[in-house]
Amino acid sequence: MQLENLVVDAADPQRLGRFWEAAVGAERLSDGPDGFETRLALEHGPVLDLCFQPVPEPPTAPPRLHVDLAGGARQGEVVDRLLALGARRLDVGQGDAPWVVLADPEGGPFCVVEERAASAGTGPVAALPLDSADPVRDAAFWSWLTGWVEVPGAAPRSLRHPSLRGPLLELCHEGGPKGAVKNRLHLDVRLEAGEDPDEVAAAVAQRGGREVHPGWGDLPWRTYADPSGNELCVLPARS
């Protein structure tokens, strides 16, 4: 399996997708009534597709997954460029933290982080921080699921593509348990040829996750929750 998509619920997928495409310098894949997709590819590193799907209901719970953009020594310039693209400053109680918190055009919070040793070679997306009830347990789960490896970082546990390029998946202590409300952002992984979906489902359960049946009809992918309740999808292998 490999991590393939960062999926974002959006009231206006085209508007939000164009913002993030410009923010990270991604390449357009599709733009239609079913959503907007753009690709962030790093040379000799991972490929991550940003997928914006139409979901008219606004989020009603604090985000458990968000994006950290790399600012580094040019953090101020990066912030100014994002504000010009349509972001706005956001106060979430960060105080005098060295990172800058912004909101995208639909109010979704994200950060522009300062210079960090762990951010070397990440590209424009420095990290994907994910709330976790048990970062050690969940790092093992996500490492098995994606093939990413544990690396040093600012979070309790951090994973990265085996190339050691691209963003970190950071397992962070959650502020409270996951509720029933679906996360606004989630991750998709794709099966490799020959991997059996039923065997993967059994292995997810053995590692503390569970399959979710949201009642969205007959879909080609299967929906799960990680051991902390965060939604994810497992896509079929490409034919």
Side-chain angles (χ1 to χ4, degrees):
M1 290 177 286
Q2 60 181 345
L3 181 61
E4 182 164 306
N5 300 330
L6 171 65
V7 183
V8 183
D9 294 350
D12 186 339
Q14 282 67 36
R15 178 181 180 229
L16 191 61
R18 291 187 187 110
F19 167 82
W20 279 103
E21 183 175 76
V24 303
E27 181 179 355
R28 183 84 47 91
L29 293 178
S30 65
D31 181 358
D34 294 330
F36 183 102
E37 295 189 18
T38 189
R39 175 164 291 173
L40 178 61
L42 292 178
E43 188 175 4
H44 307 304
V47 175
L48 183 65
D49 292 346
L50 281 63
C51 308
F52 300 85
Q53 62 183 8
V55 177
E57 298 83 7
T60 58
R64 291 176 59 88
L65 173 65
H66 71 272
V67 175
D68 281 352
L69 295 183
R74 301 179 60 191
Q75 184 185 46
E77 295 175 35
V78 173
V79 168
D80 288 343
R81 184 175 70 85
L82 293 165
L83 293 172
L85 289 173
R88 60 180 173 84
R89 293 185 182 272
L90 189 64
D91 185 353
V92 295
Q94 68 269 26
D96 59 354
W99 55 87
V100 178
V101 182
L102 301 177
D104 66 25
E106 292 198 359
F110 66 97
C111 300
V112 181
V113 298
E114 72 284 3
E115 190 81 54
R116 295 178 178 177
S119 297
T122 63
V125 178
L128 300 169
L130 178 65
D131 278 7
S132 167
D134 184 338
V136 174
R137 175 200 64 192
D138 290 352
F141 176 88
W142 281 97
S143 180
W144 163 77
L145 194 68
T146 63
W148 287 23
V149 298
E150 192 160 344
V151 294
R157 288 293 187 275
S158 298
L159 303 175
R160 202 170 189 183
H161 187 269
S163 66
L164 302 184
R165 293 181 57 79
L168 280 70
L169 177 59
E170 297 183 335
L171 285 306
C172 306
H173 290 295
E174 64 184 13
K178 170 79 162 65
V181 178
K182 176 179 175 288
N183 289 351
R184 177 177 177 262
L185 280 69
H186 74 266
L187 298 170
D188 288 349
V189 299
R190 172 130 2 228
L191 297 178
E192 302 282 2
E195 290 183 311
D196 185 282
D198 292 330
E199 291 180 0
V200 169
V204 166
Q206 290 169 359
R207 289 168 170 81
R210 59 185 173 86
E211 189 161 7
V212 178
H213 302 282
W216 295 333
D218 187 17
L219 299 172
W221 59 83
R222 293 167 73 163
T223 304
Y224 297 88
D226 76 2
S228 291
N230 299 301
E231 295 89 0
L232 63 109
C233 294
V234 176
L235 312 179
R238 296 191 184 278
S239 57

